[in-house]
Amino acid sequence: MRTAEQVVGEVFALYQRHGNEDYIGEPVSQLEHMSQAAQLALDEGYDDEVVLAAFFHDIGHICGDAEGSMGGYGVVSHEQVGAEYLRRCGFGERMAKLVEYHVAAKRYLTLRQPGYYERLSEASRRTLGYQGGVMSEAEADAFELDPLCAVSLRMRQWDELAKEMAVPVIDLQVLKGKALALLN
């Protein structure tokens, strides 16, 4: 059985291997995008699980369990791939669901927030179809009842904001420490 230190080492090694790769049509790398999302969560005072969920939200694009592509814009079902990967690593269900729900939040906001679709980046618009498209009213009503809905919607906003060029990358040792604490 792997230790918490080994798991954290393996997870963060993904960012060493793939972090400098293009973030699917955006002006930042994978690592820059995820770092900015985590920093936004930290700046707003969220707990470690939410901060790490913000950092890991797109881990499904780089964890190697991919089965298909969204027309050159990343891995199909990357939110589910990432959530399952984090579960297998021993992270909690809340974090895994937040990673999984960041796509549901996009689908929800496209339905319920006027003008949201128009504010999405080109890559986010193109992937929406692969991700189930705009939520139905029934799906949105059910999503609103989930206790993680509000933080998922906030996380989605961080996802959209985390595409700025020339922003310093967060200290990964801080995130590693938070991950170790959650696994121990």
Side-chain angles (χ1 to χ4, degrees):
M1 184 169 171
R2 299 177 302 167
T3 66
E5 290 79 10
Q6 289 170 320
V7 170
V8 169
E10 289 170 20
V11 171
F12 281 84
L14 293 171
Y15 294 93
Q16 290 175 315
R17 284 197 301 277
H18 303 288
N20 289 326
E21 293 174 6
D22 175 57
Y23 177 62
I24 55 171
E26 303 290 358
V28 293
S29 70
Q30 293 278 351
L31 180 59
E32 289 168 326
H33 173 64
M34 296 197 220
S35 167
Q36 289 177 36
Q39 188 65 58
L40 289 164
L42 253 178
D43 291 348
E44 291 184 25
Y46 278 87
D47 63 73
D48 291 351
E49 217 169 20
V50 173
V51 170
L52 286 169
F55 184 73
F56 293 146
H57 78 274
D58 277 339
I59 199 167
H61 287 304
I62 65 171
C63 68
D65 295 343
E67 293 191 15
S69 170
M70 295 185 289
Y73 289 97
V75 174
V76 171
S77 301
H78 75 282
E79 72 283 7
Q80 293 167 356
V81 170
E84 285 304 314
Y85 174 77
L86 293 170
R87 286 179 183 110
R88 286 193 310 272
C89 287
F91 289 103
E93 189 61 18
R94 180 174 174 246
M95 183 195 299
K97 282 189 174 186
L98 287 171
V99 167
E100 192 169 345
Y101 286 1
H102 84 278
V103 167
K106 176 170 78 169
R107 296 180 61 228
Y108 172 89
L109 289 167
T110 304
L111 173 71
R112 293 278 167 91
Q113 191 175 88
Y116 180 77
Y117 179 81
E118 290 73 25
R119 291 190 305 273
L120 288 173
S121 69
E122 182 63 26
S124 286
R125 286 187 207 157
R126 288 184 180 255
T127 57
L128 182 63
Y130 290 97
Q131 296 166 334
V134 178
M135 268 190 182
S136 68
E137 289 290 339
E139 287 174 314
D141 291 345
F143 188 60
E144 288 171 352
L145 297 176
D146 192 295
L148 294 176
C149 178
V151 71
S152 296
L153 296 177
R154 191 70 198 124
M155 205 163 104
R156 185 66 211 181
Q157 291 168 330
W158 301 327
D159 187 3
E160 294 303 328
L161 293 170
K163 298 172 183 177
E164 297 294 321
M165 296 186 329
V167 174
V169 171
I170 196 169
D171 182 353
L172 295 183
Q173 293 300 355
V174 170
L175 296 180
K176 287 179 182 179
K178 291 178 183 303
L180 272 173
L182 290 175
L183 290 173
N184 283 320

